[in-house]
Structures are given as structure tokens and as C-alpha cells.
Amino acid sequence: MSSPHPRSLGSAGWRFLIIGGLNTAITAVILVGLSYILPGWLAYTITFAIGVAFNTAFASRWVFTRSGSARATAVYALSYVAIYLIGLACVAGIRALEWPEYLNALSILVTAPLGFIAGRLVFRERRREEPPA
């Protein structure tokens, strides 16, 4: 059940860290494993899609306490397209530097904060202006 009041930045931040930490732990293991059997970009793409589904399922209500309308949920999921491209650039940079494949997980250090910002913006409470009386 969602609260009628938005969470404070600190409270939402801690909840995002919990959900994000769980998401990160699961997807990091998947990413590292897939990186050894698939090209880095494909391993990252599959893992990212799993992470977006997980994050979208939990972000609106548990992190930001706002029921996600279908539109807000779609916008949140679509914001991850931009975040995905940024993460993919990180993976490409890791490959260009010829670092080990398991370091693809470093992309999370860039994408996780962007995911929090996107959720905070999409699921924030919006006040409608009352027409003058």
C-alpha cells in the first residue's frame, strides 16, 4: 500500500539502496557469468533488461511510495533506455581499455545513481494548481 505523502530524499535513498543493492547483487552475478560466454554488449543488454524489470516492479511503491500509473511506469522504464546507452558506453570503454570482462560490473557505479534520479523525478508527487476561486 502506498502512502499519500512522498518519502524524504533520505528515506527514498535508503530504500533505493536496498532495492538497488539487491538488484545489483543479482544482476552483477548474471552479468559476470554471461560476460564469459557472450560478447560484453549482449551480456550487458540481457542483464540490464532483467534489472529494469526488477527495478520497475519495486521502485514506485516501495522506494518512492507513489503508485505508478501505467504512464509513469512506462516513462520510468523508458528512461532506462538512456541509462542503458550510458552503461553500454561504459562497457565499451572497459573493452577498449582491455580490462578483464568481470569489470563490466563497474558500469553499475554510473547507472545506479542515474536510476535513482529518474525514479525520483518520475514518481514524485505532482501538485495540480487549483483554479482561482
Side-chain angles (χ1 to χ4, degrees):
M1 184 168 213
S2 65
S3 166
H5 303 290
R7 293 200 192 283
S8 69
L9 181 61
S11 176
W14 280 111
R15 286 174 177 266
F16 186 83
L17 285 175
I18 292 168
I19 290 297
L22 183 58
N23 186 10
T24 298
I26 293 166
T27 57
V29 168
I30 294 168
L31 177 57
V32 169
L34 290 178
S35 290
Y36 284 105
I37 59 175
L38 298 172
W41 69 269
L42 183 56
Y44 181 79
T45 300
I46 292 167
T47 303
F48 200 86
I50 293 167
V52 168
F54 180 89
N55 224 20
T56 300
F58 289 98
S60 69
R61 289 197 175 148
W62 202 77
V63 175
F64 301 106
T65 68
R66 180 166 183 255
S67 294
S69 66
R71 181 178 180 272
T73 301
V75 168
Y76 182 66
L78 286 173
S79 72
Y80 270 90
V81 172
I83 296 168
Y84 163 78
L85 293 173
I86 292 166
L88 195 58
C90 293
V91 169
I94 289 166
R95 181 170 175 84
L97 293 170
E98 298 180 358
W99 290 355
E101 294 294 324
Y102 67 86
L103 290 179
N104 285 338
L106 289 175
S107 62
I108 294 164
L109 297 175
V110 176
T111 58
L114 295 174
F116 177 78
I117 292 166
R120 188 76 178 171
L121 292 173
V122 171
F123 295 120
R124 74 180 186 266
E125 291 295 323
R126 290 171 177 80
R127 288 183 170 66
R128 297 185 193 271
E129 289 188 26
E130 297 292 325

